[in-house]
Amino acid sequence: MSPRQQRTDTGTANAVVRGVNIQAVRNRALAQSYMAYKHVPARVIERVLDHPSLRRQPNAEQAVSEAITPAAAGPPDD
């Protein structure tokens, strides 16, 4: 496995996954702003936003953390 493929900085990896999801739902500017706020290096932000084919797939833990689960139907709890 190449050094680039090793995920030693999980905080950055998680910020990138969330940024990519923000880009898909909202827009590039917001995704870029979020990743910069989370201290993702500028070269990484540029690579993941400009070259989607170079992105790694999120690991299972990241996929679960980004999943949207609907609330159960029914009356709200008091």
Side-chain angles (χ1 to χ4, degrees):
M1 184 181 303
S2 75
R4 184 178 161 266
Q5 292 175 325
Q6 294 174 355
R7 291 190 176 177
T8 56
D9 186 356
T10 57
T12 298
N14 290 340
V16 168
V17 169
R18 183 156 295 218
V20 168
N21 288 341
I22 291 170
Q23 181 186 23
V25 174
R26 300 290 294 276
N27 60 47
R28 177 194 170 97
L30 190 59
Q32 187 171 359
S33 175
Y34 173 79
M35 287 189 276
Y37 171 76
K38 290 294 193 171
H39 307 292
V40 175
R43 61 181 163 54
V44 174
I45 296 171
E46 181 181 337
R47 184 178 70 236
V48 299
L49 296 180
D50 291 342
H51 305 287
S53 62
L54 298 177
R55 294 180 193 153
R56 288 184 228 112
Q57 294 299 315
N59 64 29
E61 184 178 306
Q62 289 168 327
V64 168
S65 74
E66 288 298 315
I68 299 172
T69 55
D77 294 334
D78 290 317

